Amino acid sequence: MNSFDPYIHIDAYHRSLNKYKEELCGDRVMIKRSDRCVVMVLSDGLGSGVKANILSTLTSTIISEMIFSGMALKDAVETITATLPVCNERGIAYSTFTIVQVFYNTNCYIAQFDNPSVVLMRDDEIVHLEQEEHLINNKKIYISKTHVKVNDRIVTFSDGVLHAGLGLTLNFGWGQEEVEQFLLDMTTKDDDAKKITDLVLANVNYLYGGKMGDDSTVACLKIIEAKETRIMVGPPYRKEDDEKVVRKLMEASGYKICCGGTTSTIVSRVLGKELKTSLDFKYDLPPIGWIEGLDLVTEGVITLQKVARIVRDASRSQEAYDACLLTKETDGASLLTKMLLESSQITFMVGLSDNPAHNAIAYSPISLNAKIRIMEEIQEHLLTMGKIVTIEMY
């Protein structure tokens, strides 16, 4: 368990629509997480295409890395503004940015430079934050400080969103007030970050008539209640620890999951609940089971090997990530992966006992060491997706 006890977690999502006939987007969003906070940076490069993409990528990467490494937000802003070049012809910076830093203790800091104003929605209202104007390296930076609450939604976007419909469906484009009203009318506090992002971009695409006049990016953070998912994998080394580990599993505030035939038998015995097994299974995966009080019961190593492959793909591709969340598959690997991606804080409770179910099988992939390697691989991929992941040994 991390020494920092979180009050909240953050659901984050972003997506872009490229300018018509451009292969590269001139906007860039970087989201980085630690066990203390989430940092989201949206940068908009001047113009479009390759040059804008490079500038926005450099800006968002440098800012997020500086803040993530422990630099104070104001110091990071001062550093990046000192390095941003200025267009000689137009007299404006080659790259603008918005920084949102939310700590798990509810502290929130926002810095904005030449981007549209960040929208904070609380319940059914827009919260207009007080902004302090700072002149840093001859650039006006607006910084806000606040505390967030569960179900708050923080939405930021590039100016392509405000330009939507300019000269087409709208004389003066969509506009900041119109975007805010759209968010109030079309979204609710129950919507996740992905749904809010997709709704805004769908209307942007409509206003542009399907031919984007400018790169348009939306990034959303939704504040959610801190819940810890726990997964018990394998029997504890000492049989007398069975009850302690199962009780700890049942204390999870998020999903409660157990993996493995012997493990599920232990959970069933300690809880005094019947273990039931499905008769439906895939050709490459054993069936799932049910124990009252648990969210999921699966087979062990074979299922976890498949989870490791799916999570690896989801960590490398937004499309694969979305597909995992939207899957209708009911096998153990698909269900477990979906629950992991829906979780922010995850603890694997790995038993160190030699599983008696494997005694007669001299096959290394299901050895104890192999099982631990699989858990570490899953942990590594989940960490790259911003999850807080701990492996506990018993």
Side-chain angles (χ1 to χ4, degrees), residues 261 264-265 274-281 286-291 297-299:
S264 57
T265 300
E274 182 183 1
L275 168 62
K276 300 178 182 179
T277 305
S278 171
L279 297 177
D280 299 325
F281 61 93
I288 63 172
W290 295 274
I291 299 175
V297 177
T298 77
E299 179 274 338

Side-chain angles (χ1 to χ4, degrees), residues 57-68:
T57 299
L58 284 172
T59 302
S60 57
T61 301
I62 293 170
I63 293 175
S64 58
E65 288 292 344
M66 286 190 296
I67 296 175
F68 192 70

Side-chain angles (χ1 to χ4, degrees), residues 186-305:
M186 303 302 295
T187 69
T188 74
K189 66 179 182 179
D190 296 323
D191 293 337
D192 61 15
K194 181 180 186 302
K195 183 173 182 180
I196 294 169
T197 299
D198 289 344
L199 281 170
V200 175
L201 281 181
N203 198 59
V204 169
N205 187 57
Y206 166 76
L207 292 174
Y208 275 119
K211 295 182 179 180
M212 306 298 296
D214 193 6
D215 298 311
S216 299
T217 297
V218 178
C220 179
L221 300 179
K222 181 179 179 182
I223 312 305
I224 58 177
E225 185 179 356
K227 290 185 178 182
E228 179 192 21
T229 290
R230 284 187 164 265
I231 303 101
M232 182 176 173
V233 183
Y237 182 75
R238 300 190 306 170
K239 187 175 178 60
E240 53 266 35
D241 286 339
D242 286 359
E243 182 168 352
K244 179 186 74 173
V245 177
V246 173
R247 296 302 177 193
K248 197 165 185 179
L249 168 68
M250 300 308 294
E251 291 173 359
S253 54
Y255 291 122
K256 305 170 183 66
I257 302 165
C258 78
C259 300
T262 304
T263 311
S264 57
T265 300
I266 292 171
V267 174
S268 173
R269 171 174 54 79
V270 171
L271 296 180
K273 302 292 184 180
E274 182 183 1
L275 168 62
K276 300 178 182 179
T277 305
S278 171
L279 297 177
D280 299 325
F281 61 93
K282 280 190 168 185
Y283 71 93
D284 61 340
L285 287 173
I288 63 172
W290 295 274
I291 299 175
E292 184 181 340
L294 269 68
D295 297 287
L296 181 64
V297 177
T298 77
E299 179 274 338
V301 174
I302 296 175
T303 299
L304 291 169
Q305 286 174 326

